[in-house]
Amino acid sequence: MSGNGGKFTVAVIPGDGIGPEVIAEAKKAVEAASAVEKTSFEWAEYPFGASHYVKTGEILPASAVDEMGRASAMLLGAIGDPSVRPGILERGILLTLRFVFDQYVNLRPALSLPNVPAPVPMTGKMDSVVVRENTEDLYMGLGGISGDGRIGIPLALERGSYKLSGDLNVRLLPEMPFAAQVAINTRAGVERIARFACETARKRGEKRVTIVTKSNAAPALYGFFEDTAKELIARECPDMSAETVNVDAICYHLVRKPDAYGVLLCPNLFGDIVSDLQAGLAGGMGTAAGGNIGDGLSMFEPVHGSAPDIAGTGRANPIAAILCGAMMLRHLNLEKSAAAIENAVTEYLASSPGKGLPFEFSGEASCAEVGDTVAGRI
Ligand code: NAD
Ligand code: IPM
Ligand code: MN
């Protein structure tokens, strides 16, 4: 986990589309910040993603996963490309890594930044964070499609703290094709993310955790999530108030008042959706950083995907990836180095109105130009 005498090995999957473009800039920022606390970084780079898969048929070999497990941390650009059917690589690489390393937290801050125009006017600034459960819910990969009215799905998987076994056998009459996907939330899974949400709120000096739910429509799955999270918070964090807001309503409230929330505790699927909404409200996908955090290897990746629509044009905004670098350094207890990157990003944006901004904010600064300017300010 920790570096040896200030030396850190970072496993890197640049991935697909704009992934390699933004990761190059994140590495520049981390390299520049290494002067702050006299650290050094060795990058163990892996080719996994669409072109590697198309060329070799290989998705994510177990030997590489073992090796990654020995790194101090991991950076990932984005996975997914129109040349490969959706799900193969996203599940086979990204979700597999989150699950294998039991990265149960997906931490996704949404911040207003200088000169980044917000689409919705707000009185204050956005400073909120999605604490997304990252190993359960509809993401477990337990599903199937039937052509003949019958499905038998083996419900077998292992997580850090439990093993699941059994089958789901379903018959549909009259026979017709159908699909089923099983979602599971466990007490251990909900409690650990609720605890993390409380700790996050405490560190932020706040007294409220907003639980994003949908217990009115799915009382088993989300009623359980809501009740378990509330009980944990009442028991372990009695100073914290746990409010519940349905996911549909939170989307409405967020658009009307993006600066009204602090910690949003979400089940996996809602956390995915709400974090894109938050990114949009804060001004753009290109500044939304995130971390997949667990007790073992943690992996830092922007909220955004591979953006095939702008890949190769130089128009990608690397700030999200650069801020992932800062999150990674903070995770490695390099607070001053992390702050140096964050300050450089803020100063760059504050001092570069108009053409100096990334294309995403109607400027003309290319991905590499933004990265060079930020690195130069660290
Ligand atoms: P996306 O996030 O890639 O793109 C959504 C929109 O945001 C696009 O218009 C894109 O141009 C823009 N955008 C994203 N990042 C940007 C940046 N840094 N700067 C400027 N604009 C940016 O979402 P999508 O289109 O749904 O997905 C594309 C592919 O990425 C799919 O294969 C999807 O599965 C995958 N994906 C991967 C991850 C990941 O690896 N973490 C996350 C989301 C999506
Ligand atoms: C994200 C992505 C992934 C997710 C996809 C690519 C599987 O959208 O990291 O937000 O849904 O978690
Ligand atoms: Mn997403």
Side-chain angles (χ1 to χ4, degrees):
M1 269 285 287
S2 61
N4 192 357
K7 285 191 180 151
F8 298 89
T9 302
V10 178
V12 187
I13 300 185
D16 300 321
I18 64 168
E21 302 167 30
V22 298
I23 285 296
E25 306 315 315
K27 283 166 63 182
K28 271 183 205 164
V30 171
E31 296 275 6
S34 67
V36 176
E37 287 168 271
K38 306 266 180 296
T39 51
S40 67
F41 292 86
E42 193 178 300
W43 308 99
E45 207 144 316
Y46 296 89
F48 308 120
S51 56
H52 184 76
Y53 173 66
V54 170
K55 235 185 292 162
T56 64
E58 185 174 65
I59 298 180
L60 179 70
S63 56
V65 174
D66 286 349
E67 219 174 85
M68 289 166 188
R70 293 192 285 277
S72 315
M74 186 160 181
L75 269 182
L76 184 142
I79 296 293
D81 186 87
S83 64
V84 181
R85 192 178 153 79
I88 295 178
L89 301 174
E90 291 89 337
R91 287 208 70 85
I93 300 175
L94 181 64
L95 297 187
T96 297
L97 288 168
R98 289 178 185 168
F99 299 158
V100 166
F101 294 112
D102 206 23
Q103 295 162 344
Y104 65 94
V105 183
N106 193 335
L107 191 64
R108 296 184 151 181
L111 292 172
S112 297
L113 291 165
N115 282 322
V116 174
V120 175
M122 52 186 119
T123 42
K125 284 185 173 175
M126 242 179 124
D127 175 7
S128 107
V129 61
V130 167
V131 174
R132 170 189 181 191
E133 199 292 318
N134 212 26
T135 60
E136 302 195 319
D137 203 35
L138 210 56
Y139 274 67
M140 297 186 104
L142 306 169
I145 299 173
S146 158
D148 64 357
R150 285 172 194 273
I151 280 185
I153 304 169
L155 302 182
L157 56 74
E158 258 188 83
R159 288 284 181 272
S161 48
Y162 57 85
K163 259 189 193 166
L164 189 70
S165 59
D167 312 275
L168 176 75
N169 285 301
V170 185
R171 174 141 200 229
L172 183 70
L173 288 173
E175 280 177 15
M176 67 180 104
F178 74 106
Q181 189 93 41
V182 175
I184 288 175
N185 286 317
T186 64
R187 190 173 77 176
V190 181
E191 286 191 346
R192 63 184 181 173
I193 195 69
R195 191 173 290 124
F196 190 94
C198 275
E199 284 161 10
T200 305
R202 263 204 200 120
K203 278 190 204 151
R204 291 165 54 91
E206 293 167 3
K207 293 245 168 273
R208 174 182 62 151
V209 170
T210 303
I211 305 171
V212 177
T213 180
K214 193 63 189 167
S215 53
N216 54 356
L221 187 67
Y222 296 122
F224 178 84
F225 187 100
E226 185 183 316
D227 291 345
T228 307
K230 271 186 174 163
E231 280 162 24
L232 182 286
I233 293 171
R235 200 166 65 239
E236 292 189 12
C237 320
D239 55 320
M240 204 58 71
S241 79
E243 67 172 359
T244 53
V245 183
N246 286 323
V247 63
D248 45 355
I250 201 86
C251 292
Y252 170 77
H253 292 310
L254 278 171
V255 168
R256 307 243 319 169
K257 250 184 154 298
D259 53 341
Y261 292 89
V263 174
L264 295 167
L265 168 58
C266 299
N268 207 338
L269 180 65
F270 303 156
D272 176 48
I273 298 165
V274 170
S275 56
D276 266 40
L277 175 61
Q278 294 264 79
L281 290 167
M285 287 300 274
T287 60
N292 301 283
I293 297 162
D295 298 329
L297 180 79
S298 293
M299 174 170 81
F300 298 82
E301 45 144 354
V303 172
H304 65 71
S306 56
D309 53 338
I310 56 166
T313 65
R315 299 174 81 94
N317 182 356
I319 290 177
I322 292 171
L323 292 176
C324 285
M327 278 181 96
M328 179 181 81
L329 295 179
R330 180 162 294 118
H331 179 76
L332 296 171
N333 290 321
L334 300 168
E335 174 57 39
K336 285 185 189 146
S337 313
I341 294 184
E342 289 163 350
N343 292 337
V345 165
T346 310
E347 282 168 19
Y348 151 62
L349 289 169
S351 61
S352 310
K355 288 184 179 175
L357 291 170
F359 282 96
E360 189 183 22
F361 310 135
S362 309
E364 290 178 10
S366 71
C367 185
E369 283 164 354
V370 173
D372 286 338
T373 311
V374 170
R377 283 180 172 272
I378 292 170

